[in-house]
Amino acid sequence: MDKIMVVYWSQTGNTAAMAEAVGQGIAEAGKEAVVCDVSSASIEDLKAAEAFALGCPAMGAEVLEEGEMEPFVMEVEGFASGKKIGLFGSYGWGDGQWMRDWEDRMKAAGAVIVGREGVTAQEAPDADAIEACKALGRELAAV
């Protein structure tokens, strides 16, 4: 598949910036990135995809956003087996536990985490985090 979905939820724009960087990496590797907010994402497109990326910041007590992203991720868990999934997101406090929990959930559902772990940024992504997101995009494109 030449199109790779990058689905995210963002409140302040930090995770959106990371999503755009993942999309840039996908494009640099010669594939088409479809970067979209979770509210306009298609579960059916993800079911058909071999690889895709999901992004969400840490919320509350280091959990995924509960209104839109958590229900979406719960649906993904139902068909994640064998999928190659890149994870990314930002956080403002804590130590990134929400990402480790998210990785564990996806692995338990049978997914392979692209890059072996999610890409995180504390607050706004710095140059290193943007580059890590681009690298994630390139890895997704190579699947």
Side-chain angles (χ1 to χ4, degrees):
M1 176 181 264
D2 285 342
K3 289 184 182 182
I4 299 175
M5 299 283 300
V6 180
V7 179
Y8 71 93
W9 186 92
S10 187
Q11 182 172 7
T12 63
N14 294 339
T15 301
M18 296 175 80
E20 290 299 329
V22 173
Q24 288 175 8
I26 291 167
E28 288 171 2
K31 300 276 177 94
E32 181 182 347
V34 179
V35 180
C36 65
D37 184 89
V38 68
S39 64
S40 60
S42 164
I43 283 286
E44 295 307 313
D45 287 346
L46 294 187
K47 284 181 180 178
E50 183 179 350
F52 53 87
L54 300 173
C56 184
M59 303 295 287
E62 290 208 66
V63 296
L64 297 176
E65 187 277 328
E66 295 174 311
E68 292 182 88
M69 197 66 184
E70 177 61 32
F72 191 85
V73 169
M74 288 175 68
E75 278 194 69
V76 170
E77 284 177 298
F79 63 85
S81 185
K83 302 286 185 186
K84 293 169 182 68
I85 302 175
L87 301 175
F88 62 93
S90 63
Y91 63 101
W93 59 90
D95 68 354
Q97 185 62 46
W98 106 103
M99 183 57 73
R100 293 187 293 278
D101 292 344
W102 197 7
E103 292 164 1
D104 290 345
R105 284 176 68 180
M106 293 295 98
K107 289 176 189 174
V112 174
I113 303 300
V114 176
R116 293 162 303 289
E117 64 183 15
V119 176
T120 60
Q122 189 163 18
E123 305 292 351
D126 61 13
D128 289 341
I130 292 295
E131 186 49 47
C133 288
K134 288 180 182 178
L136 175 61
R138 290 188 295 270
E139 283 188 65
L140 283 164
V143 168

